[in-house]
């Protein structure tokens, strides 16, 4: 497939979002998608690789073969953007993939995750084409205010790990709808998926957010969120569980999975429709906890909230969203933006750099500097 020749103000961008057993790719002309595909990988074959980073040659080959089969002319690409991985904490934005970033992605500096392949794949393909490679707003975006870092326990500092890519992309889109710049607004963005994160966005920065991986906040379809610390400590030293078992009960087997045996919100809603009172109680409790977290976030902004944005897969659930609204619609207008279009967000972040709306940032091992 091919589209007509690009005009001088159009930019063609390849975006890459690696998952555990799939790789999503898309080609955008500016912010308009002209091709998207999810490439499925054999899970047993993937498990043969010792490290996540070792998969890049195999995935690169499948990406290039797929693009060739679809008739995508690589010579017409202007840039390639990959999903950002587990890196050192950085401020939000679009980053040029450089040697320092590649070293951390290859080594798994902050952990092994399929998203680490995003920057590697973008760099490998872009280098051969002599075009730039970028990542946008990885999960390690850290813009917390000093106050937000204090946990109350001197040995532990609060961490910023959240759905940064989708949160910031949705916040920017809503800002345009409101006729203002993202950097001018104070909004609360709630990403509701397998994990739930509630971010306080003020003047273009996420100044507070719950650690959505395994730290705190509302419970979600797969995660326990904040739990009573003393009881958790007793459980850890009860002799009944290994460390890994406890962690699985917090991440993966927590939340809806722990209570109801499923992470599928649609299935839970069917259980409720069939009169399951326990399912209704748990589901309502999840909405209740999300609302409480939003209330806390509004306190950070001292009540001056321009909008509350609900996004992610759970935002498709009308009853779930309605429950949350009942608690928080007095704070500010509630805007629902369901789903999570990561490919679109990656393309938008890259485009902002290509058209000069933003400067690409340089990743370093010690500090962040702007590219001159």
């Amino acid at each position: 497939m091919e589209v007509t020749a690009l005009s001088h103000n159009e930019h063609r961008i390849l975006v890459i979002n690696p998952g555990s057993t799939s790789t999503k790719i898309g080609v955008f002309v500016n912010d308009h998608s002209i091709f998207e595909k999810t490439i499925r990988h054999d899970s047993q074959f993937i498990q043969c690789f010792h490290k996540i980073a070792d998969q890049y040659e195999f995935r690169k080959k499948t990406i290039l073969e797929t693009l060739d089969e679809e008739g995508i002319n690589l010579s017409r690409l202007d840039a390639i953007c990959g999903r950002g991985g587990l890196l050192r904490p950085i401020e939000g934005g679009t980053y040029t993939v450089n040697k320092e970033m590649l070293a951390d992605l290859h080594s798994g500096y902050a952990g092994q995750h399929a998203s680490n392949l995003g920057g590697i794949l973008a760099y490998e393909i872009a280098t051969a084409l002599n075009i730039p490679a970028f990542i946008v707003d990885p999960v390690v975006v850290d813009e917390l205010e000093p106050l937000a870092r204090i946990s109350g326990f001197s040995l532990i500092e609060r961490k910023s790990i959240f759905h940064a890519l989708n949160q910031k992309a949705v916040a920017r889109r809503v800002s345009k709808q409101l006729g203002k710049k993202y950097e001018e607004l104070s909004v609360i963005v709630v990403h509701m998926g397998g994990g739930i994160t509630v971010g306080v966005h003020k003047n273009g920065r996420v100044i507070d957010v719950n650690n959505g991986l395994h730290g705190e906040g509302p419970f979600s379809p797969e995660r326990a969120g904040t739990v009573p610390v003393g009881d958790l400590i007793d459980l850890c030293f009860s002799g009944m569980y290994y460390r890994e078992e406890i962690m699985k009960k917090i991440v993966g087997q927590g939340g809806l999975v722990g209570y109801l045996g499923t992470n599928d919100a649609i299935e839970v809603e069917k259980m409720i429709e069939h009169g399951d009172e326990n399912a209704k109680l748990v589901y309502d409790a999840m909405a209740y906890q999300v609302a409480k977290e939003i209330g806390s976030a509004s306190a950070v902004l001292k009540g001056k909230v321009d909008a509350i944005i609900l996004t992610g897969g759970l935002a498709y659930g009308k009853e779930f969203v309605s429950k949350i609204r009942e608690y928080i619609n007095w704070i500010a207008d509630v805007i629902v933006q369901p789903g999570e279009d990561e490919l679109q967000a990656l393309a938008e972040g890259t485009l902002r750099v290509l058209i000069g709306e933003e400067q690409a940032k340089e990743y370093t091992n010690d500090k962040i500097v702007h590219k001159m």
Side-chain angles (χ1 to χ4, degrees), residues 112-356:
Q112 295 291 330
H113 192 273
S115 61
N116 291 3
L117 289 162
I120 298 171
L121 289 166
Y123 180 85
E124 290 291 331
I125 298 173
T127 299
L129 299 171
N130 196 31
I131 57 176
F134 303 103
I135 66 165
V136 179
D137 291 327
V139 295
V140 294
V141 165
D142 184 347
E143 299 167 337
L144 297 186
E145 292 288 309
L147 280 175
R149 299 186 186 279
I150 305 298
S151 70
F153 182 41
S154 63
L155 299 180
I156 298 175
E157 183 178 88
R158 291 187 67 240
K159 296 181 178 67
S160 176
I161 301 177
F162 71 111
H163 304 89
L165 181 63
N166 188 48
Q167 281 212 22
K168 281 185 171 276
V170 169
R172 287 180 181 280
R173 291 170 200 154
V174 169
S175 298
K176 286 184 179 180
Q177 293 174 15
L178 297 176
K180 294 186 178 181
K181 293 181 179 180
Y182 171 53
E183 293 76 14
E184 297 173 345
L185 291 179
S186 295
V187 296
I188 297 169
V189 184
V190 187
H191 178 103
M192 304 182 297
I196 295 176
T197 54
V198 180
V200 182
H201 297 239
K202 182 177 182 181
N203 300 331
R205 299 176 65 82
V206 183
I207 62 172
D208 201 348
V209 66
N210 62 296
N211 179 341
L213 181 58
H214 50 58
E216 56 195 352
F219 73 82
S220 73
E222 299 177 351
R223 294 164 197 175
T226 300
V227 297
V229 176
D231 294 334
L232 179 61
I233 292 171
D234 288 342
L235 200 61
C236 289
F237 287 90
S238 67
M240 297 171 59
Y241 303 100
Y242 291 108
R243 179 187 182 280
E244 292 76 14
E245 292 175 304
I246 291 290
M247 187 59 76
K248 282 184 180 179
K249 289 185 178 297
I250 297 293
V251 182
Q253 296 176 1
L256 295 185
V257 174
Y259 284 107
L260 304 174
T262 179
N263 64 358
D264 188 339
I266 295 176
E267 185 177 338
V268 174
E269 289 173 356
K270 288 179 180 177
M271 294 165 67
I272 295 171
E273 288 175 8
H274 288 96
D276 190 325
E277 290 297 325
N278 183 54
K280 183 178 187 306
L281 176 64
V282 172
Y283 207 46
D284 286 353
M286 188 165 71
Y288 173 74
Q289 289 200 5
V290 171
K292 283 207 302 182
E293 195 75 16
I294 293 170
S296 297
S298 69
V300 173
L301 293 171
K302 300 178 181 177
K304 298 177 181 178
V305 183
D306 293 304
I308 298 168
I309 307 168
L310 305 182
T311 185
L314 289 177
Y316 284 111
K318 292 182 179 180
E319 288 298 319
F320 186 69
V321 168
S322 178
K323 285 288 183 183
I324 296 172
R325 279 184 187 270
E326 289 177 11
Y327 291 107
I328 53 91
N329 59 12
W330 57 272
I331 299 172
D333 290 337
V334 180
I335 300 172
V336 182
Q337 297 273 309
E340 179 180 13
D341 195 340
E342 294 167 332
L343 297 183
Q344 180 78 35
L346 293 171
E348 290 172 353
T350 304
L351 181 64
R352 288 194 294 272
V353 168
L354 295 180
I355 64 177

